[in-house]
Amino acid sequence: MADNARAKRLADLIREVVAQKLQRGIKDPRLGSHVTITDTRVTGDLREATVFYTVYGDEEERAAAAAGLESAKGILRSEVGRAAGVKFTPTLAFVADALPDTARTIEDLLDKARASDEKVREAATGATYAGDADPYKKPGDDEDDTTA
C-alpha cells in the first residue's frame, strides 16, 4: 500500500498529463477546447485513478465529450504510464464533475433568498411597531412603582 503523499503526487501528474494530451495530442473533435480536467484521485494502492472533468456546453456536447474520453482512454493511459514510470499504470475512469451544476443550483437558491429578503425589506419600510418601539422597562422608568 502506498502512502497518501505518493498517491497525491501521482494524481497531480495524471491530471497534468491528461490535460496536456487532451489539449495537444488527441485529434478527436469531440474533445475540443471545451473539456477541462478539474480533479484527479488515485486509490491507495495506485491501481485506479478517477479523472473528473467539466464540459463547457449543452447536454449533447457533454455526451459527446464523455464518448470521446472513453474512446481515448487507452492513449491517455499509455501517456500516463510513460510519464509516471510506475510499475503498474493505473486504470483511468472519467467522471463528469458535478461542481458546476451544484454551483449553479446554489446560485439560484441565493438569488431566491435575495429576492425574498428584498420583499421583506419592502414590506418593512413604513411599518410601525405594534406597541412601543422599545417594549422593555428601564431602571429610571419606575414612576408607576413609587406610589405603592
Side-chain angles (χ1 to χ4, degrees), residues 18-19 21-23 26 28-32 34-38 51-55 61-77 92-97:
V18 169
K21 190 67 177 172
L22 286 177
Q23 186 178 18
I26 295 182
D28 193 341
R30 299 174 291 186
L31 300 174
H34 55 274
V35 176
T36 304
I37 304 300
T38 57
V51 180
F52 295 92
Y53 67 95
T54 59
V55 178
E61 290 175 344
R62 289 180 188 153
L69 285 170
E70 203 58 38
S71 69
K73 189 185 286 189
I75 296 168
L76 294 172
R77 185 171 182 225
L92 301 177
F94 292 96
V95 176
D97 199 352

Side-chain angles (χ1 to χ4, degrees), residues 95-132:
V95 176
D97 199 352
L99 184 68
D101 296 332
T102 304
R104 192 173 313 115
T105 303
I106 290 172
E107 284 296 323
D108 291 342
L109 291 173
L110 288 173
D111 288 340
K112 287 179 186 177
R114 285 185 199 105
S116 176
D117 287 348
E118 187 60 34
K119 286 180 185 176
V120 168
R121 204 173 295 118
E122 288 174 6
T125 56
T128 59
Y129 293 103
D132 293 333

Side-chain angles (χ1 to χ4, degrees), residues 4-82:
N4 287 337
R6 185 170 179 205
K8 176 72 173 135
R9 284 193 311 270
L10 183 60
D12 291 342
L13 178 73
I14 291 171
R15 185 180 70 239
E16 292 296 321
V17 168
V18 169
Q20 287 177 359
K21 190 67 177 172
L22 286 177
Q23 186 178 18
R24 296 191 190 110
I26 295 182
K27 304 291 187 235
D28 193 341
R30 299 174 291 186
L31 300 174
S33 61
H34 55 274
V35 176
T36 304
I37 304 300
T38 57
D39 192 19
T40 305
R41 296 190 185 142
V42 178
T43 58
D45 60 357
L46 306 179
R47 295 286 180 155
E48 298 174 10
T50 305
V51 180
F52 295 92
Y53 67 95
T54 59
V55 178
Y56 182 74
D58 57 359
E59 286 298 320
E60 182 180 314
E61 290 175 344
R62 289 180 188 153
L69 285 170
E70 203 58 38
S71 69
K73 189 185 286 189
I75 296 168
L76 294 172
R77 185 171 182 225
S78 298
E79 284 296 316
V80 167
R82 193 172 297 124

Side-chain angles (χ1 to χ4, degrees), residues 137 140-148:
K137 290 186 178 184
D141 295 341
D142 292 339
E143 58 257 353
D144 293 337
D145 293 339
T146 57
T147 59

